[in-house]
Amino acid sequence: MDLLEDYLAGVRAHGAVFCQSVAEPPWAVRYADPAPLALGAMLRGESWIVRDGTAPVQVGERGVVLVRGLRPFTVADRPGTEPQVVIDGEESCWTTVGASGAAGPELVVGPRTYGFSADGSDLFVTAEYPLRGDVSERLLRALPEVAVIPPDPEFAPLLDLLAVEIGRDEPGQQVILDRLLDLLLVRALRSWFARPDVEAPPGYRALADPRIGRALRLMHERPAHPWTVAALGTEVGMSRAVFARRFAELVGQPPLVYLTEWRMTVAADLLRKPGTTVAAVARRVGYADGFAFSNAFKRVRGMPPSELVRSAR
């Protein structure tokens, strides 16, 4: 596995809501209780993302947008349009402003499609990803609150297929749509982090280097292995000194500092699982005893692992 695969491990769209949001402008849909990461694609027309407390951001036709964080936001034909529909965070649950309950018949215009008309001029597709834990948090920290990926010819086949599949109601249809959105999420993240003006997650761009990229993959695949700088250098065909220097240049940290932080990130997620013990987690991330692990965890995370276990319970 590589960094992006680790960050997205277990992340899957499930029962994504597809919104054909309007017949003609003016229109606006408010997301009152968003997930930590939301993906949107403007299949037809143009829209604005209005995040509470931030400046509006435009999304062009065939553009993709990633919205990070839990603060509400509105998707509209223009920034000043008042929302006619509010999504309250429950799956497929729509309410008109000032009312409550599930979507009325007037808002259901097709299979998995909600809005004001079946032949509306604008079509905005959304999916929410309930990213949780410290591993995914490394990815979220590298994203701005709103990241707009302009139209890209490489996205065209996925967007075209989404547009076709939305209107179908056949066995397994929701699975197909969810998987298409998963593919679009990965492609959007890759496109965003490829931009030279964007700060990628630690080590992400170093994956392009054949040797340092391999060392990073080894650390992520086998965090419990007793890695040393010399052993990693040998694995990738470099001397200890050259490897250490090149790794620090590309990643921004010495190899063992990066490895320790990654181990503690993995450990934090493991410690939150029911029934876990500090000793078991210590072994999973390469420590022979809980005492040494506890010292390392407290040094990196600022709290003993036992405190995290208690708070998770």
Side-chain angles (χ1 to χ4, degrees):
M1 299 180 73
D2 62 35
L3 281 69
L4 191 54
E5 292 170 353
D6 275 328
Y7 296 152
L8 295 176
V11 175
R12 297 289 185 272
H14 178 68
V17 175
F18 297 84
C19 172
Q20 183 163 313
S21 55
V22 66
E24 296 294 339
W27 62 269
V29 177
R30 180 158 178 82
Y31 294 80
D33 187 20
L37 180 64
L39 177 144
M42 200 70 209
L43 297 186
R44 293 200 306 268
E46 297 181 347
S47 66
W48 288 82
I49 307 295
V50 185
R51 190 70 183 271
D52 290 10
T54 61
V57 178
Q58 189 172 26
V59 183
E61 185 164 356
R62 312 289 278 181
V64 176
V65 60
L66 301 172
V67 183
R68 173 186 65 82
L70 301 175
R71 280 197 293 125
F73 65 94
T74 300
V75 184
D77 68 307
R78 55 188 177 84
T81 302
E82 289 294 322
Q84 299 102 337
V85 172
V86 175
I87 303 177
D88 67 2
E90 298 179 16
E91 184 177 307
S92 302
C93 183
W94 287 60
T95 63
T96 55
V97 174
S100 61
E106 71 279 3
L107 292 179
V108 180
V109 297
R112 305 174 185 85
T113 305
Y114 300 79
F116 304 101
S117 172
D119 58 355
S121 61
D122 298 346
L123 178 60
F124 187 69
V125 179
T126 60
E128 294 191 333
Y129 292 86
L131 301 181
R132 301 294 182 193
D134 286 52
V135 171
S136 296
E137 183 62 29
R138 288 165 72 97
L139 172 66
L140 293 178
R141 283 200 303 266
L143 288 170
E145 290 201 355
V146 179
V148 176
I149 296 91
D152 187 327
E154 290 189 1
F155 291 174
L158 282 174
L159 296 177
D160 290 341
L161 194 52
L162 264 178
V164 170
E165 294 290 342
I166 284 172
R168 293 182 176 176
D169 194 11
E170 300 177 7
Q173 195 67 34
Q174 188 67 54
V175 175
I176 291 175
L177 294 169
D178 288 342
R179 293 299 80 79
L180 286 172
L181 284 171
D182 290 338
L183 288 171
L184 190 58
L185 173 64
V186 175
R187 295 301 298 269
L189 289 169
R190 281 166 47 179
S191 178
W192 178 257
F193 290 134
R195 296 173 50 164
D197 59 330
V198 165
E199 184 176 349
Y204 181 85
R205 290 201 172 94
L207 290 171
D209 184 278
R211 295 184 175 182
I212 303 304
R214 172 165 165 70
L216 284 165
R217 289 183 175 92
L218 287 170
M219 293 181 189
H220 279 246
E221 290 169 2
R222 299 156 60 191
H225 188 80
W227 294 115
T228 64
V229 176
L232 286 165
T234 300
E235 287 280 351
V236 300
M238 302 173 74
S239 71
R240 181 186 184 282
V242 172
F243 169 73
R245 182 171 63 251
R246 181 66 174 164
F247 189 100
E249 289 173 355
L250 293 180
V251 179
Q253 295 176 308
L256 296 189
V257 171
Y258 179 92
L259 176 61
T260 299
E261 289 190 0
W262 175 243
R263 284 172 168 170
M264 298 306 113
T265 299
V266 172
D269 282 354
L270 292 174
L271 288 165
R272 292 188 178 95
K273 292 184 177 181
T276 192
T277 66
V278 172
V281 172
R283 291 191 294 271
R284 290 278 299 275
V285 295
Y287 288 81
D289 64 83
F291 182 75
F293 165 70
S294 295
N295 285 339
F297 191 90
K298 186 174 182 180
R299 184 176 69 252
V300 173
R301 311 291 301 202
M303 68 170 72
S306 56
E307 183 176 332
L308 186 57
V309 172
R310 286 194 298 271
S311 65
R313 289 173 181 167

